[in-house]
Amino acid sequence: MNKNFKDLVFSGVQPTGNLHLGNYLGAIKNFVELQKKTDCIYSIVDLHAITVFQDPKELKNSIFETLSSFIACGLDFKKSIIFNQSSVSGHAELAWIFNCVSRLGWLNRMTQFKEKAGSNKENASVGLYVYPNLMAADILLYKATHVPVGDDQKQHLELCRDIANKFNNDFNKSNFFPIPEPLIQKKFSRVMSLRDGKKKMSKSEESDYSRINLQDSEDQIEKKIKKAKTDSSLITSDKKDLEKRPEALNLLNIYSSITNTSLEKTLKEMEGKDFSKFKKNLSDVLIATICPIGKKIKELNKDKSLLLNILRNGAEKAKIIADKNLKEIKEIVGFI
Ligand code: TRP
């Protein structure tokens, strides 16, 4: 469908401090793989972040920490474009144009807004409501063709496709914007809480024992895995059985993902073992992968001028593409 366009991956991540294993295995590790095959643009989406109030100091720190985590996990700022969204003004400009293309009825269907606004919709920011239009602008400002997304963003990407189509139709430019395709991780993309296998691993869960943070020490990782909820049955290779044991399945999935093996292979390897043995294996592989990343994050975080430089360079590269596309877009819309 997008054969007129060069393959280009775009993804955005909200700035947050203290990234965890779920952020790594669910998103960043995949970004690192993608940059080996395709041109990629990764944006730390600070404009999205302020749809709910952010303490300015914390926001700044979160942007730095997200960048440090990206680099420590293996994103290459020389190869891919890495920048913070607010430093390229085209995002906000195109978002306005899309506010006028997108329909109220479309936004009213967005389930994430309903969840995030909760029962007090009247008090939600207008930005939170039109956030999917901004996300469409992020992607289409670069005419990106592929977007790695988790389950929770699929509906927003659908909306982006609707906006691209409507713009192309309204202005009679049938191939102006590509219709971006989702890239869904084939392996598992959801790391669950270590305390409750039905809940996503999250920074907002109260207990720190529910997650592995990228900056955890060896001791912390070992303790958290030891305490992780499981059951007293042995590991079986029967996937149906495991589906009824979400905590067990989660740990086996984490092991597979960290060691780059399929779940089937892990199950064969671990079949018949009890969880205390498996947990030792799991904390060993986690420590070997996560602790070097954590150390690197801490190091990078100390060098703010390096981080600022990376963001500035990234923004400059992003701007070249954005400015060219935005000029065409303005022309199409009829601006002088
Ligand atoms: N909305 C995404 C999230 O909350 C972040 C995001 C913003 C994004 N712009 C994007 C993701 C463009 C993919 C493409 O996770």
Side-chain angles (χ1 to χ4, degrees), residues 158-223:
E158 272 301 315
L159 184 95
C160 170
R161 292 163 60 90
D162 289 343
I163 290 176
N165 265 320
K166 186 166 191 307
F167 184 98
N168 289 349
N169 284 332
D170 285 355
F171 295 100
N172 225 338
K173 292 268 174 201
S174 64
N175 266 320
F176 184 73
F177 283 127
I179 311 303
E181 309 271 349
L183 288 176
I184 311 278
Q185 268 205 78
K186 279 185 212 81
K187 288 178 236 153
F188 90 123
S189 58
R190 256 184 193 220
V191 181
M192 311 311 275
S193 157
L194 300 178
R195 301 246 115 164
D196 176 351
K198 292 199 188 80
K199 264 207 233 145
K200 215 171 148 175
M201 185 176 282
S202 152
K203 192 179 109 138
S204 50
E205 191 172 334
E206 206 177 312
S207 166
D208 198 49
Y209 277 92
S210 68
R211 62 187 160 263
I212 304 282
N213 304 305
L214 295 184
Q215 296 182 59
D216 278 349
S217 66
E218 299 188 7
D219 268 5
Q220 280 171 311
I221 295 181
E222 206 181 320
K223 265 198 206 121

Side-chain angles (χ1 to χ4, degrees), residues 319-334:
K319 251 186 219 148
I320 295 172
I321 311 174
D323 286 353
K324 176 178 166 285
N325 289 339
L326 198 61
K327 193 165 170 251
E328 286 174 22
I329 293 163
K330 287 182 171 173
E331 182 79 35
I332 290 172
V333 172

Side-chain angles (χ1 to χ4, degrees), residues 139 178 234:
I139 298 164
L234 297 177

Side-chain angles (χ1 to χ4, degrees), residues 10-14 43 45 48 85 112 116 131 134-136 138-139 147-149 152-153 156-157:
F10 183 98
S11 198
V13 171
Q14 299 223 23
S43 183
V45 290
H48 278 89
Q85 187 187 25
Q112 195 178 60
K116 283 203 176 169
Y131 155 130
L134 175 61
M135 179 164 157
D138 298 338
I139 298 164
V147 184
V149 280
D152 60 332
Q153 297 297 320
H156 293 161
L157 188 61

